[in-house]
Amino acid sequence: MQLYNTLSAEERAVMIDDAGKQRLTLSFYAYAKIEDPKKFRDDLFLAWNALDALGRIYVANEGINAQMSIPEENLEAFRATLEVYDFMKGIRLNEAVEHDDHSFLKLTIKVRHKIVADGLNDETFDVTNIGVHLKAKEFNEILDDPNTIVVDFRNHYESEVGHFKNAITPDVETFRESLPIINEQLQNHKEDKNLVMYCTGGIRCEKASAYFKHQGFKNVFQLEGGIINYAKQIEAEGLESKFIGKNFVFDNRLGERITDDIISQCHQCGKPCDNHTNCENDGCHLLFIQCDECKAAMENCCSTECLEIIHMPLVDQVRLRTGKQVGNKVFRKGKSENLKFKHSGELPNAALAEVEKPADIRQKIKVKKVLLGKAEHYYVKAQVGQFTVENQEVKVGDKILISGPTTGNQELVLDKIIVDGAETQTAKIGDKVTFEVPFRIRLSDKIYKILE
């Protein structure tokens, strides 16, 4: 019975690329009483490993907190593994604004004392007496109320690249630090103000809202599903985004763009930039913002000292970092005297720049076309795509268009097609047809026949 990863991150990345399947990045959480977290953890690992699910998950007696990457084709099967547990029936899965096949490269499920390190004694207050959940439209409306105080319950490196306008952004490195600071700062507004809070996916606010109600705050509200769900709702409903910039995420992407505003600076040169990186020196791993020019000049390092270290022999690098606690503190840093343009605490509401948009090579091609079918698979090494023919026949010599949100619009002429392992001149409705495709395709792609 396998209860651990057998592949390295590098090996997993190659497997993902070779599979050529669309993956979804999502997150969810649930507070519930779990009697045996270790058994719960092992059962989840077995179920999810079989579905090629990856991610970083924490389980505890108080519930589960998960950020994951799942093959799109396995989404419903994954939901079924959650429905086994009463407390996760119908649970909301926060899908990422921007999906990335490499957002997670291992399945890590850890048993912890708590699913979020909040430093609170849950026995001293009612953790179920939470604040009012607000959807995006309601959240926007309450932010316009002059009696509203909005608080960002994320850390300094998260709020620096993106936050709600006029939010209080505590200069903290951990969630637990922010609770007493905000409580003290707002002591005189327990009854006369709306205390509105938000975080990445909602889990921090779930506990924080109950804590602040226990502290005597009368009007406590929280953003339902956090920034991730807010971004989905404003797009779907055509609402104004009162969030500016990027939403920091704790996976290999390190951020997903909500608006085109850049509100932070490269920590080394001061150029408008909101791309996080980790120092290349394994003995440092400082999390900081670095523009492309500084990344090239400094080779992903935060300082000249670290730049010198990465060019040392490996044995000397290991000697220098022996005894230092690194790696697991990769997201807890983000401050250093080497970072001249680091900002935290009170942050601007105005953009320093906008994202430069590349030439749009994916604009829809205005040609007459008819839908043939959809993509089923892509064999990366062979550069062969497989499609299901759904609407009409396709023949050798046909000019086709493959279109999708990631692939864009790509045209090619079929000079050879294969059905059921045999070369043929015509593929009929219901056939699974394969042919060479000199670019990567996704499961969301459609195939069209171009009409001359």
Side-chain angles (χ1 to χ4, degrees):
M1 184 168 62
Q2 181 190 335
L3 294 171
Y4 55 89
N5 290 280
T6 57
L7 298 175
S8 67
E10 293 76 13
E11 290 171 327
R12 178 71 68 175
V14 171
M15 283 188 64
I16 288 172
D17 286 341
D18 286 350
K21 296 179 180 179
Q22 177 73 55
R23 297 184 70 90
L24 303 176
T25 301
L26 52 84
S27 62
F28 63 93
Y29 68 89
Y31 280 100
K33 188 171 181 60
I34 298 175
E35 296 292 344
D36 188 345
K38 175 63 168 60
K39 182 180 185 306
F40 179 62
R41 178 264 175 208
D42 292 348
D43 290 345
L44 290 181
F45 192 99
L46 291 173
W48 292 348
N49 190 50
L51 296 175
D52 192 24
L54 307 171
R56 185 185 300 112
I57 302 95
Y58 300 127
V59 299
N61 288 114
E62 67 173 359
I64 182 171
N65 180 16
Q67 295 86 41
M68 303 188 69
S69 167
I70 295 163
E72 184 178 43
E73 64 182 10
N74 291 345
L75 180 59
E76 292 310 311
F78 176 76
R79 285 185 188 276
T81 68
L82 304 181
E83 297 286 328
V84 170
Y85 304 94
D86 287 341
F87 72 90
M88 288 197 287
K89 287 184 182 297
I91 194 170
R92 180 185 62 245
L93 301 180
N94 280 335
E95 286 196 19
V97 176
E98 301 171 351
H99 295 292
D100 185 325
D101 289 349
H102 293 172
S103 57
F104 291 99
L105 295 173
K106 289 189 176 182
L107 177 59
T108 304
I109 310 178
K110 294 184 177 181
V111 176
R112 291 284 179 86
H113 176 62
K114 287 193 170 188
I115 55 177
V116 175
D118 51 39
L120 299 175
N121 181 355
D122 294 356
E123 303 300 321
T124 62
F125 66 102
D126 183 359
V127 297
T128 66
N129 184 23
I130 61 176
V132 177
H133 282 207
L134 299 175
K135 296 188 182 300
K137 186 175 186 296
E138 300 166 319
F139 194 80
N140 278 2
E141 290 171 352
I142 203 169
L143 292 188
D144 290 334
D145 187 333
N147 286 320
T148 290
I149 296 174
V150 59
V151 180
D152 189 327
F153 276 100
R154 301 173 304 149
N155 306 326
H156 64 86
Y157 48 81
E158 298 175 83
S159 56
E160 184 178 11
V161 295
H163 56 260
F164 280 96
K165 296 174 182 177
N166 301 314
I168 296 173
T169 52
D171 186 12
V172 297
E173 291 191 14
T174 63
F175 172 50
R176 66 168 60 190
E177 291 176 64
S178 63
L179 296 173
I181 291 174
I182 295 301
N183 188 37
E184 177 64 27
Q185 191 171 339
L186 302 181
Q187 276 295 307
N188 298 326
H189 299 293
K190 290 186 175 182
E191 297 193 14
D192 67 329
K193 297 290 186 181
N194 299 318
L195 176 56
V196 179
M197 56 187 67
Y198 70 90
C199 56
T200 306
I203 188 170
R204 285 177 267 192
C205 295
E206 203 78 3
K207 186 68 71 72
S209 67
Y211 168 77
F212 281 100
K213 289 187 74 173
H214 174 70
Q215 292 297 317
F217 287 84
K218 303 299 183 186
N219 306 305
V220 180
F221 303 85
Q222 62 191 98
L223 179 59
E224 183 179 84
I227 300 163
I228 296 172
N229 199 40
Y230 177 86
K232 292 282 187 181
Q233 289 183 7
I234 61 171
E235 181 179 8
E237 299 175 27
L239 303 174
E240 172 195 0
S241 176
K242 292 184 179 291
F243 184 96
I244 53 174
K246 248 185 181 181
N247 179 31
F248 185 94
V249 292
F250 290 85
D251 58 54
N252 293 335
R253 296 172 298 154
L254 293 180
E256 52 186 16
R257 185 156 299 287
I258 308 299
T259 71
D260 290 334
D261 305 295
I262 298 176
I263 63 171
S264 53
Q265 297 173 276
C266 171
H267 286 163
Q268 293 175 319
C269 73
K271 175 184 176 180
C273 178
D274 55 11
N275 295 325
H276 276 100
T277 190
N278 288 118
C279 182
E280 191 71 16
N281 174 17
D282 285 337
C284 175
H285 267 314
L286 183 71
L287 177 72
F288 68 108
I289 298 173
Q290 188 177 48
C291 69
D292 291 342
E293 289 80 2
C294 289
K295 186 183 290 287
M298 297 296 293
E299 299 179 45
N300 277 52
C301 290
C302 69
S303 64
T304 54
E305 292 82 1
C306 285
L307 182 58
E308 292 172 0
I309 288 173
I310 67 168
H311 289 289
M312 290 181 177
L314 182 58
V315 64
D316 292 335
Q317 293 185 46
V318 172
R319 177 179 52 79
L320 285 174
R321 65 175 181 263
T322 299
K324 294 182 180 180
Q325 187 180 8
V326 296
N328 64 330
K329 298 187 72 174
V330 64
F331 292 118
R332 295 189 61 197
K333 297 186 178 181
K335 291 184 179 179
S336 167
E337 61 184 19
N338 293 319
L339 306 180
K340 299 177 182 178
F341 296 93
K342 164 69 184 174
H343 300 289
S344 55
E346 290 190 18
L347 297 172
N349 291 319
L352 300 175
E354 285 198 356
V355 176
E356 293 183 9
K357 296 182 180 178
D360 189 359
I361 61 173
R362 297 176 178 172
Q363 290 181 338
K364 292 185 177 179
I365 302 172
K366 296 181 179 179
V367 296
K368 291 183 179 181
K369 60 185 185 295
V370 61
L371 180 65
L372 291 174
K374 62 183 180 181
E376 294 288 349
H377 194 73
Y378 186 61
Y379 302 91
V380 177
K381 290 182 178 178
Q383 290 192 311
V384 168
Q386 183 181 66
F387 300 83
T388 297
V389 180
E390 297 178 334
N391 295 311
Q392 66 172 247
E393 295 180 348
V394 60
K395 301 177 180 179
V396 170
D398 282 347
K399 189 175 183 180
I400 65 167
L401 170 70
I402 299 174
S403 178
T406 301
T407 306
N409 293 284
Q410 305 278 359
E411 295 181 15
L412 56 86
V413 176
L414 297 178
D415 56 10
K416 179 181 178 181
I417 57 177
I418 296 173
V419 174
D420 294 331
E423 186 174 343
T424 183
Q425 293 295 306
T426 303
K428 299 180 176 60
I429 294 175
D431 285 344
K432 290 190 183 299
V433 58
T434 57
F435 50 83
E436 289 188 13
V437 182
F439 48 85
R440 183 168 178 173
I441 61 171
R442 304 283 182 169
L443 293 183
S444 56
D445 288 353
K446 303 293 184 184
I447 178 173
Y448 300 86
K449 178 178 178 180
I450 295 176
L451 304 176
E452 299 296 340

